[in-house]
């Protein structure tokens, strides 16, 4: 991390530090878990909240996917043996879109002595300008960015510098392994009765099999 990143972390030492792993988790897989564990260790967090999103505006196609309840069940199973992972249903809005800025505002209002680290991948970093109210997101949290082989560290840092100046944001760069696992591909593999063993925790694999999830056919989106 740079001196600015370390300084940013030191300023938060008197507050509770909580990481947020958001997503549809359809299904949750080991890439999510490894990223969360790395963020927990590298940022010296108190806990990581796994927040399944109920109605994300960028994912409207639900054919062949798990229900909200099933996605929550799979997250519960995946994080059950990790004491610093917690399930949060704060983002499970069924009747309205789930916007990150609104979620963070709600969390900060309810927990004023907590600093939130919103964990994103490099792909989300490069599309951050397209998010709803990026300036408000930057005001409400520190964004922790995972590295990806598709983008060099210099490209990621350049983008971070650009966003920091544009939105007065606070970003930290994580040192994470590049694990390319797609929930979309896992759903299609399950639909074709191919093995997804080791891509998801054993308990999640068993849940998918027992509930015949994703068996309605191959998804193109």
């Amino acid at each position: 991390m740079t001196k600015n990143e370390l300084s940013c972390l030191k300023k938060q030492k008197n507050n509770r530090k909580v990481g947020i792993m958001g997503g549809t988790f359809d299904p949750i897989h080991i890439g999510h878990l490894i990223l969360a564990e790395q963020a927990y260790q590298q940022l010296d967090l108190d806990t990581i909240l796994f927040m399944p999103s109920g109605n994300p505006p960028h994912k409207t196609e639900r054919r062949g996917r798990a229900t909200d309840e099933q996605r929550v069940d799979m997250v519960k199973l995946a994080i059950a043996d990790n004491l610093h992972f917690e399930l949060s249903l704060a983002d499970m809005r069924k009747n309205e879109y789930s916007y990150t800025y609104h979620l963070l505002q709600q969390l900060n209002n309810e927990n004023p002595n907590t600093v939130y680290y919103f964990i994103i991948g490099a792909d989300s970093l490069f599309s951050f300008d397209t998010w709803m109210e990026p300036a408000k997101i930057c005001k409400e949290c520190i964004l922790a960015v995972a590295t990806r082989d598709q983008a060099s560290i210099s490209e990621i840092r350049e983008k971070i510098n650009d966003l920091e100046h544009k939105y007065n944001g606070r970003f930290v760069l994580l040192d994470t392994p590049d694990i390319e696992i797609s929930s979309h591909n896992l759903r299609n593999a399950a639909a074709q009765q191919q093995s997804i063993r080791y891509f998801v925790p054993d308990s999640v694999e068993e849940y998918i099999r027992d509930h015949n999830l994703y068996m309605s056919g191959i998804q193109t989106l």
Side-chain angles (χ1 to χ4, degrees):
M1 294 181 184
T2 66
K3 290 182 179 179
N4 288 338
E5 290 170 343
L6 290 173
S7 175
C8 182
L9 294 180
K10 289 178 181 178
K11 290 179 182 178
Q12 317 304 326
K13 63 182 180 180
N14 294 324
N15 294 309
R16 190 164 184 261
K17 297 163 61 177
V18 174
I20 296 176
M21 278 290 295
T24 51
F25 301 124
D26 193 15
I28 189 170
H29 54 68
I30 63 165
H32 297 127
L33 300 172
I34 291 172
L35 174 54
E37 183 70 11
Q38 290 296 304
Y40 172 81
Q41 294 180 359
Q42 293 177 32
L43 300 174
D44 192 26
L45 302 179
D46 293 292
T47 191
I48 298 278
L49 299 179
F50 280 77
M51 291 190 177
S53 54
N55 193 18
H58 61 292
K59 295 184 178 180
T60 58
E61 174 60 55
R62 298 301 303 167
R63 179 181 59 83
R65 297 192 178 186
T67 66
D68 290 348
E69 291 74 16
Q70 288 169 335
R71 291 188 295 115
V72 169
D73 285 345
M74 287 188 283
V75 172
K76 287 180 181 178
L77 291 169
I79 68 175
D81 63 350
N82 192 319
L83 296 179
H84 50 259
F85 285 176
E86 299 178 33
L87 171 68
S88 170
L89 301 183
D91 204 27
M92 289 293 291
R93 299 180 177 90
K94 294 185 178 182
N95 298 320
E96 59 181 294
Y97 283 141
S98 301
Y99 289 114
T100 301
Y101 82 93
H102 185 264
L103 169 67
L104 290 167
Q105 288 175 336
Q106 173 187 328
L107 292 173
N108 280 307
N109 287 336
E110 295 173 352
N111 306 286
N113 295 321
T114 298
V115 176
Y116 289 100
Y117 291 75
F118 197 83
I119 303 165
I120 63 174
D123 51 346
S124 295
L125 176 75
F126 285 100
S127 65
F128 187 70
D129 287 300
T130 68
W131 290 28
M132 180 67 73
E133 301 287 359
K136 291 183 180 179
I137 294 173
C138 288
K139 180 181 177 181
E140 299 292 339
C141 73
I142 298 170
L143 289 116
V145 184
T147 54
R148 288 283 182 90
D149 282 347
Q150 292 90 335
S152 68
I153 297 299
S154 61
E155 289 175 321
I156 293 174
R157 288 199 178 278
E158 182 179 354
K159 185 62 177 179
I160 285 176
N161 289 335
D162 174 63
L163 294 174
E164 285 180 334
H165 286 93
K166 189 173 183 178
Y167 299 117
N168 193 29
R170 296 166 294 171
F171 293 75
V172 292
L173 184 59
L174 300 170
D175 181 13
T176 54
D178 185 52
I179 301 176
E180 288 294 332
I181 302 177
S182 161
S183 293
H184 171 270
N185 291 341
L186 292 179
R187 292 193 298 271
N188 282 343
Q192 298 177 80
Q193 299 187 17
Q194 296 175 354
S195 174
I196 59 172
R197 189 178 187 185
Y198 305 125
F199 288 95
V200 298
D202 290 345
S203 57
V204 173
E205 181 195 21
E206 182 178 358
Y207 185 93
I208 291 171
R209 183 175 61 249
D210 289 348
H211 290 78
N212 294 314
L213 294 186
Y214 314 122
M215 297 302 293
S216 63
I218 305 300
Q219 300 174 28
T220 58
L221 297 175

